[in-house]
Amino acid sequence: MPPAAATKLGYKPPDGGWGWAVVFGAFISIGFSYAFPKSLTIYFKEIQEYFSVSYSEIAWLSSVMLASMYAGGPLSSILVNRYGSRPVVMVGGLLVSAGMVLASFGRTIVHLYLCVGVIGGFGLAFNLQPSLTIIGTYFQVKRPLANGLAMTGSPVVLFTLAPLNQFLFDSFGWRGSFLILGAIVLHCCVAGALMRPVNKNAHPLPKTEQPECNGETAEAAATSDPSAQSANFLTEGSQDESRSQGCLAKFIDLTLFKHRGFLIYLIGNVVMFFGFFAPVVFLAPYAKHQGIDEYSAAFLLSIFALVDMFIRPATGLIGNTKWIRPRIQYFFSFAVSYNGVCHLICPLLPGYAGLVVYAVFFGLAFGMLSALLFEVLMDLVGAHRFSSAVGLVTIIECAPVLLGPPLSGALVDIFGDYKYMYYACGVFMLVPGIFFFIMHYYNYKKLDEERRQSEAVEMRTSEETAQLQMSQCDKIAHETDG
């Protein structure tokens, strides 16, 4: 296991105890946040026929929900910084439930966009971001494992909801199903109740460490944190600028836009998210388009989720090893590229057996990427800046999340075939994967150079201090002899 990373949170994270209950709550909350929009694709074909809309129009339903979830990131960050994770997650569960209940009375597709997409999406934002943030307050050494276990909630919930939604639809129709789902999602409120704030007084820093008092000194903390990767060496002058921030800086850290590692992550993710969700959203409709029955099509999502749920904690364990964690960004780059290759190969696999093979390998790729997605961001910027970083990332990513599935649906409408959609998604994943490999090599190289320079400066300072002390001692001894 890698050595413990130093933190500047003002206390030492407990790395266990009630933290595992928090991970379980995050498991449920994150599970609904990511699995819920995917599981609703079971109803797409029927809703599409009910409202007489196109593939791209029905794709907007999941797209608006996901985009609202990402757009709500900054607001969620502000609320978490102000009130903590527990009340925000509980309010999020209530919002998603209200959205699904209201959607069950919908008479137009726009009504569903507003209720499921906007209201439900913002509720999911209040579930996702606080769950990710609170893990960083409880875990330090075991953080990759804790994140991997929490992110496993998505495939577990999807594995359960995929066949359940098909059963609910057959028994109650899509309206009755939405009512029942509105009740089921209230489990997020129970998950939020588990997210007790960490007791900082019970885990004080050792006396040899200098705790930082608040977020406004985070810049100084970042420069002395040996494990926060590119948070170690910030752009020159950012410390002075952070002190001059106004009221906005108290809620969200805009100096991240001068952070090299954060910008690499942001640029690659913006491109990646154009092809991130569409393959999952259209997996069941693609199978039905090939003449596969509804339950077999829904079973593809279960296969995908089953593989996904086992690979996520495994990825957390691998990412926590002493060989991978120091260069975990390369592991993330591989996961992104692997997703792209899977999508490019998908149209070449024949029949239902080919789709099963694709679901297995895509589940491996998607699980690896999802388990690392937020861990690598925390690795880049440090736990103390993660809340602001994830809020900024999600608000910017909401554009590709919003446009990705509808653009993919438009390709299906234009060509009458799903293969071009999968080719496009493959390119959107493979290109940023290669970009990440190149830029993280550059980033790690720069970090090593800056670390050596910092050590050299510290050594020179120490030598000069020692020489000054020696000269003073010689002067005092000379005066005494005189």
Side-chain angles (χ1 to χ4, degrees):
M1 184 174 292
T7 64
K8 296 297 176 180
L9 296 171
Y11 64 98
K12 183 179 179 180
D15 269 309
W18 187 259
W20 295 117
V22 172
V23 169
F24 179 69
F27 172 92
I28 297 173
S29 184
I30 293 172
F32 276 103
S33 296
Y34 276 119
F36 210 70
K38 300 171 197 171
S39 68
L40 294 181
T41 59
I42 298 297
Y43 304 99
F44 274 15
K45 185 176 181 181
E46 289 70 25
I47 294 175
Q48 181 182 359
E49 294 174 354
Y50 185 90
F51 293 113
S52 300
V53 294
S54 65
Y55 285 100
S56 60
E57 287 177 305
I58 192 62
W60 279 99
L61 187 56
S62 282
S63 188
V64 171
M65 192 176 199
L66 288 167
S68 297
M69 182 177 77
Y70 276 73
L75 176 60
S76 182
S77 294
I78 292 171
L79 292 175
V80 169
N81 291 336
R82 178 65 179 85
Y83 300 105
S85 294
R86 175 185 279 174
V88 178
V89 172
M90 296 178 75
V91 170
L94 292 173
L95 279 176
V96 182
S97 178
M100 294 304 298
V101 171
L102 291 173
S104 67
F105 299 99
R107 296 297 175 185
T108 64
I109 191 67
V110 175
H111 186 109
L112 297 189
Y113 291 160
L114 293 174
C115 295
V116 177
V118 178
I119 299 175
F122 271 94
L124 294 180
F126 291 173
N127 278 272
L128 175 63
Q129 196 269 353
S131 302
L132 295 167
T133 300
I134 196 170
I135 290 174
T137 68
Y138 270 93
F139 291 91
Q140 175 184 337
V141 176
K142 301 176 182 177
R143 196 184 67 212
L145 175 60
N147 276 322
L149 290 172
M151 294 297 288
T152 307
S154 175
V156 170
V157 174
L158 181 59
F159 180 78
T160 305
L161 285 181
L164 176 62
N165 278 339
Q166 191 64 57
F167 170 77
L168 291 176
F169 173 76
D170 292 338
S171 302
F172 306 102
W174 69 268
R175 294 185 186 277
S177 299
F178 278 20
L179 276 173
I180 296 171
L181 288 173
I184 292 174
V185 80
L186 287 173
H187 283 84
C188 291
C189 297
V190 179
L194 294 173
M195 296 181 186
R196 185 176 68 196
V198 66
N199 185 355
K200 300 179 182 181
N201 294 326
H203 307 279
L205 283 172
K207 294 182 179 179
T208 55
E209 297 189 31
Q210 296 296 325
E212 300 297 336
C213 297
N214 52 51
E216 296 190 6
T217 55
E219 297 289 344
T223 59
S224 60
D225 188 343
S227 70
Q229 300 301 329
S230 50
N232 300 352
F233 304 102
L234 303 173
T235 304
E236 188 177 12
S238 61
Q239 182 175 355
D240 293 334
E241 291 178 12
S242 68
R243 293 174 179 172
S244 63
Q245 294 293 320
C247 294
L248 182 61
K250 296 179 180 179
F251 300 107
I252 198 159
D253 187 2
L254 297 178
T255 61
L256 285 164
F257 286 111
K258 295 184 178 181
H259 190 290
R260 184 173 61 241
F262 176 79
L263 291 175
I264 292 171
Y265 180 91
L266 182 62
I267 293 169
N269 273 29
V270 166
V271 179
M272 181 186 77
F273 270 86
F274 276 104
F276 187 64
F277 289 111
V280 184
V281 169
F282 286 102
L283 181 57
Y286 179 35
K288 293 178 183 179
H289 179 76
Q290 292 189 348
I292 296 168
D293 66 274
E294 294 177 348
Y295 275 95
S296 296
F299 187 62
L300 288 173
L301 285 175
S302 296
I303 295 173
F304 164 83
L306 182 64
V307 176
D308 191 2
M309 77 171 67
F310 285 105
I311 196 62
R312 292 197 191 201
T315 300
L317 286 171
I318 295 171
N320 208 52
T321 61
K322 61 181 179 180
W323 302 281
I324 299 297
R325 191 169 185 184
R327 291 292 187 265
I328 199 170
Q329 303 298 332
Y330 290 143
F331 194 19
F332 176 66
S333 304
F334 167 76
V336 177
S337 303
Y338 179 29
N339 272 266
V341 172
C342 287
H343 302 330
L344 291 173
I345 294 176
C346 176
L348 307 178
L349 301 175
Y352 185 69
L355 287 177
V356 170
V357 172
Y358 169 70
V360 171
F361 282 94
F362 181 31
L364 288 171
F366 193 87
M368 289 173 59
L369 176 55
S370 298
L372 296 169
L373 187 61
F374 294 105
E375 169 59 31
V376 296
L377 178 59
M378 195 177 294
D379 177 70
L380 285 167
V381 304
H384 54 281
R385 305 177 80 188
F386 178 74
S387 180
S388 293
V390 74
L392 293 172
V393 165
T394 53
I395 187 63
I396 295 171
E397 287 175 353
C398 75
V401 168
L402 177 66
L403 298 175
L407 289 176
S408 300
L411 290 176
V412 178
D413 290 331
I414 293 170
F415 296 103
D417 198 329
Y418 283 84
K419 67 179 182 181
Y420 299 101
M421 183 271 294
Y422 278 96
Y423 287 145
C425 290
V427 172
F428 279 127
M429 298 296 290
L430 187 58
V431 169
I434 297 172
F435 168 81
F436 280 135
F437 270 118
I438 296 171
M439 295 307 298
H440 283 308
Y441 170 78
Y442 167 77
N443 190 40
Y444 278 130
K445 186 176 180 180
K446 293 293 291 183
L447 290 175
D448 290 338
E449 292 176 359
E450 291 164 348
R451 186 177 292 109
R452 287 194 295 269
Q453 292 174 1
S454 177
E455 290 173 353
V457 170
E458 289 178 0
M459 185 176 296
R460 285 197 301 269
T461 303
S462 299
E463 291 175 354
E464 291 172 358
T465 302
Q467 291 176 358
L468 181 60
Q469 289 176 346
M470 290 178 63
S471 64
Q472 289 176 345
C473 289
D474 291 341
K475 183 178 180 180
I476 293 172
H478 180 72
E479 291 176 353
T480 302
D481 294 339

